Amino acid sequence: KQEVTQIPAALSVPEGENLVLNCSFTDSAIYNLQWFRQDPGKGLTSLLLIQSSQREQTSGRLNASLDKSSGRSTLYIAASQPGDSATYLCAVRRQGGSEKLVFGKGTKLTVNP
Amino acid sequence: GAVVSQHPSWVICKSGTSVKIECRSLDFQATTMFWYRQFPKQSLMLMATSNEGSKATYEQGVEKDKFLINHASLTLSTLTVTSAHPEDSSFYICSARGTEPSYSNQPQHFGDGTRLSIL
């Protein structure tokens, strides 16, 4: 059974700092991995999707890496801003026909001005 | 593009009431939609996969007679929580996946969720 763990559960940083969020998964047989952002009481916004054959994806100040063999992914946020404050979720989709996403509990990020 | 609308955003009702939640893909066709539930401080858990024109596939432990899913068109899926009780109070989120050009590489696009509170 796939399990996804995100560390830390919460993170508070001053504005402008570069930071790394971690995601680990127990079953390396994944199809892809996705990072989402969730604002309080809201749905999910997809940030980056990495296919199993890829090592990283970049979008603006965000960079996500994937090491499938070790079951890890990181989300790097450069020059953090107060608007980046949200909960960041990692989700994996396993290989095979199922499109089921297995989510971690998330990392709650607070960027202080 | 790829906007998913979910309605209502918040529902408060008495125990025993049935509640219907709608999930619409506004600018794309979605043959497949997904229903998730999120309890406080817990991860999102897939409840069921909804396919247009066929019966939904439920995850283990999810009662199909309690959580009725109807996916009658390529842009609309509904989740009805029947005879809701306080333990059904949760945040329900839907997602939809497009079909072109290749469904296997299409990401899921999520709605804003519905906060359900049963008194």
Side-chain angles (χ1 to χ4, degrees), chain B residues 17-109:
Chain B
T17 306
S18 292
V19 179
K20 180 185 282 189
I21 302 170
E22 293 187 348
C23 180
R24 294 180 184 272
S25 57
L26 298 186
D27 51 2
F28 66 102
Q29 292 187 334
T31 55
T32 303
M33 292 185 175
F34 306 86
W35 287 96
Y36 294 84
R37 181 167 54 183
Q38 185 180 34
F39 290 107
K41 299 190 186 299
Q42 299 298 313
S43 56
L44 272 79
M45 297 292 289
L46 179 67
M47 299 175 64
T49 302
S50 165
N51 294 295
E52 188 264 338
S54 63
K55 291 183 178 180
T57 302
Y58 291 81
E59 293 297 305
Q60 192 173 11
V62 177
E63 300 176 57
K64 62 180 182 180
D65 294 329
K66 182 169 184 63
F67 298 99
L68 301 179
I69 292 173
N70 186 297
H71 193 157
S73 77
L74 287 173
T75 59
L76 174 65
S77 177
T78 60
L79 168 68
T80 301
V81 184
T82 62
S83 187
H85 293 287
E87 58 266 28
D88 298 322
S89 298
S90 187
F91 192 55
Y92 293 84
I93 308 178
C94 72
S95 69
R97 191 254 297 143
T99 57
E100 299 296 333
S102 168
Y103 87 92
S104 62
N105 287 330
Q106 293 294 315
Q108 295 179 27
H109 303 282

Side-chain angles (χ1 to χ4, degrees), chain A residues 31-32 34 36 38 41-46 49 51 89 93 97 99-105, chain B residues 32 34 36 38 41-44 46 59 91 93 97 103-105 107-108 110-113 115:
Chain A
Y31 185 79
N32 61 36
Q34 206 164 352
F36 294 89
Q38 185 178 28
K42 294 291 187 179
L44 277 61
T45 300
S46 179
L49 183 150
Q51 300 293 348
L89 300 174
R93 174 183 164 185
E99 294 186 71
K100 177 180 179 178
L101 295 181
V102 178
F103 284 83
K105 291 184 179 181
Chain B
T32 303
F34 306 86
Y36 294 84
Q38 185 180 34
K41 299 190 186 299
Q42 299 298 313
S43 56
L44 272 79
L46 179 67
E59 293 297 305
F91 192 55
I93 308 178
R97 191 254 297 143
Y103 87 92
S104 62
N105 287 330
Q108 295 179 27
F110 285 78
D112 276 348
R115 175 77 56 194

